[in-house]
């Protein structure tokens, strides 16, 4: 079955950096785009970034554009989110996601990112 496993979260000071990873299994990774979302308690889950199946066309939410970079390594079935110049408002649980079709929307378990001094 489809599995997505995030890692790399943690506690970082404002202005710092983190790199999140998401290892995928159970589907042909190279054929599908991948997303990163984030969620703060009490708020809706927010889309952060997307990358196409080949890994050469990224897109970003305005709130992270210029600071975050999404990348995809099809040889490792892994999608990354490099986060630089982190701000307190980036604090959230970050989720990896892929949508393989109607009724086939998959999520990882999430990884906590906390930005605090």
């Amino acid at each position: 079955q489809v599995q997505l496993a995030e890692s790399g979260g943690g506690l970082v000071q404002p202005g710092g950096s983190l790199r999140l990873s998401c290892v995928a299994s159970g589907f042909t990774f190279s054929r599908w785009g991948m997303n990163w979302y984030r969620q703060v308690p009490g708020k809706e889950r927010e889309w952060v970034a997307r990358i196409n199946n080949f890994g050469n066309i990224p897109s970003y939410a305005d709130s992270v554009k210029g600071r975050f970079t999404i990348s995809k390594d099809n040889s490792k079935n892994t999608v990354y989110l490099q986060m630089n110049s982190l701000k307190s408002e980036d604090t959230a649980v970050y989720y990896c996601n892929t949508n393989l079709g109607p009724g086939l929307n998959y999520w990882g378990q999430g990884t906590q990112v906390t930005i605090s001094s």
Side-chain angles (χ1 to χ4, degrees), residues 57-77:
I57 303 177
S59 56
Y60 301 95
D62 287 343
S63 58
V64 307
K65 201 171 293 183
R67 300 187 299 120
F68 289 12
T69 302
I70 188 172
S71 60
K72 190 174 187 272
D73 187 338
N74 286 337
S75 69
K76 296 182 179 179
N77 278 18

Side-chain angles (χ1 to χ4, degrees), residues 13-104:
Q13 291 186 344
S17 298
L18 276 176
R19 188 176 81 153
L20 307 183
S21 301
C22 171
V23 179
S25 61
F27 65 104
T28 306
F29 186 73
S30 60
R31 292 185 180 178
W32 299 94
M34 298 293 296
N35 297 288
W36 285 98
Y37 283 77
R38 65 187 182 186
Q39 189 168 25
V40 175
K43 293 190 175 181
E44 290 191 1
R45 197 166 291 189
E46 173 192 21
W47 172 76
V48 173
R50 184 186 189 282
I51 195 160
N52 69 326
N53 59 320
F54 295 118
N56 62 339
I57 303 177
S59 56
Y60 301 95
D62 287 343
S63 58
V64 307
K65 201 171 293 183
R67 300 187 299 120
F68 289 12
T69 302
I70 188 172
S71 60
K72 190 174 187 272
D73 187 338
N74 286 337
S75 69
K76 296 182 179 179
N77 278 18
T78 301
V79 60
Y80 303 96
L81 186 68
Q82 177 67 44
M83 306 186 295
N84 298 331
S85 302
L86 285 162
K87 307 175 182 179
S88 58
E89 51 262 45
D90 295 319
T91 295
V93 178
Y94 283 72
Y95 296 92
C96 179
N97 163 267
T98 191
N99 190 319
L100 306 183
L104 298 174

